[in-house]
Amino acid sequence: MRDTSKAVVVGGFSIPSADVLVLSRRIAGAKSRFYPDRGDPGKWEVKASRTITPNPWRRSKNRRFLAEVQRILGQFDCTIYTASIDKRQLKHPMTLDTTAPLQLQVLVEHFSVECAEHNETGLIVSDWSHHSLDAHTSQCVASFVVSRGLPVHPCVYYASSQGSHAIQLADLVAGVRRRAIEGDTNLMPLDNALATIRAIPQGIRVATHARRPYTNQISLI
């Protein structure tokens, strides 16, 4: 099938490990409340394709659910992160073997700033895709982390989105950012609101190890 997307986005959020269970319970509760006909919230995934694409977004329950997701995430000491590539700006074609490691490396570059500020060691958990791509991406991230001495586990851990509410939220975050980059004005307010959720306040200026200004909404190209 021909890919018609105009952007590639990796998205997610940081959260203290002690809060993951509480977050999962609250998201499960929101899924049950807004989609009672779908049964046990642990047995089905909330997907961007069924929630934020144009037709589903017309349904008020989807808009209200995303507003609740924003509210819940805002209750934690967390940061929404996105690393995006606008494919319309590319001068040469790029494959996932190139974009996936690049996006995670730059995300780790900025995430590690937050880890250092909190004197914590970060851990990246991602939805699995294909074994070879996941292994390649993890190796690239490990090399990046170790060579620069960043306070992040030197690999990427993979899990199924089916069993993880946190990974499902990461998919929604990435989807909202992609739709906004592509020009969907309906999603731009939510994209802007999510970007304001950050553990390091906007007014505090810090830099990455490469002396780039820290940000949680990263545009590579």
Side-chain angles (χ1 to χ4, degrees), residues 5-195:
S5 64
K6 299 179 179 68
V8 181
V9 179
V10 169
F13 57 94
S14 65
I15 187 170
S17 58
D19 291 336
V20 173
L21 182 57
V22 178
L23 172 70
S24 295
R25 286 173 176 165
R26 291 181 184 176
I27 294 301
K31 288 168 69 175
S32 292
R33 191 159 64 253
F34 289 98
Y35 308 100
D37 57 318
R38 300 194 65 181
D40 183 346
K43 293 183 178 180
W44 60 272
E45 293 184 58
V46 57
K47 289 182 172 290
S49 59
R50 296 187 60 179
T51 313
I52 63 170
T53 48
N55 284 335
W57 193 245
R58 294 191 181 98
R59 303 185 186 114
S60 63
K61 68 177 179 181
N62 290 335
R63 297 193 300 273
R64 288 185 288 115
F65 174 72
L66 264 294
E68 179 67 359
V69 166
Q70 176 194 334
R71 188 191 71 80
I72 290 172
L73 286 172
Q75 294 176 330
F76 294 93
D77 185 24
C78 75
T79 302
I80 304 293
Y81 285 96
T82 56
S84 58
I85 293 174
D86 188 333
K87 294 195 289 189
R88 295 165 295 189
Q89 304 300 319
L90 290 175
K91 293 183 172 30
H92 305 285
M94 296 181 75
T95 65
L96 277 175
D97 282 347
T98 302
T99 60
L102 177 62
Q103 287 174 284
L104 272 183
Q105 284 174 338
V106 76
L107 190 150
V108 165
E109 176 184 338
H110 291 266
F111 171 51
S112 66
V113 174
E114 181 183 344
C115 296
E117 287 287 308
H118 288 84
N119 196 29
E120 297 280 359
T121 299
L123 184 151
I124 303 291
V125 180
S126 177
D127 190 11
W128 61 40
S129 55
H130 304 288
H131 175 72
S132 59
L133 175 61
D134 294 344
H136 171 63
T137 300
S138 185
Q139 288 168 0
C140 291
V141 170
S143 176
F144 183 82
V145 167
V146 171
S147 65
R148 291 157 179 81
L150 302 180
V152 178
H153 280 241
C155 66
V156 179
Y157 295 84
Y158 290 93
S160 168
S161 58
Q162 175 71 52
S164 171
H165 289 117
I167 291 178
Q168 292 172 34
L169 294 192
D171 177 59
L172 291 176
V173 166
V176 168
R177 181 63 181 148
R178 181 175 70 83
R179 298 289 306 176
I181 292 172
E182 292 176 336
D184 189 334
T185 55
N186 291 320
L187 270 297
M188 287 178 183
L190 178 58
D191 179 54
N192 291 332
L194 290 173

Side-chain angles (χ1 to χ4, degrees), residues 207-219:
T208 71
H209 72 278
R211 301 186 182 279
R212 283 185 275 266
Y214 166 83
T215 181
N216 59 317
Q217 195 174 76
I218 311 154
S219 297

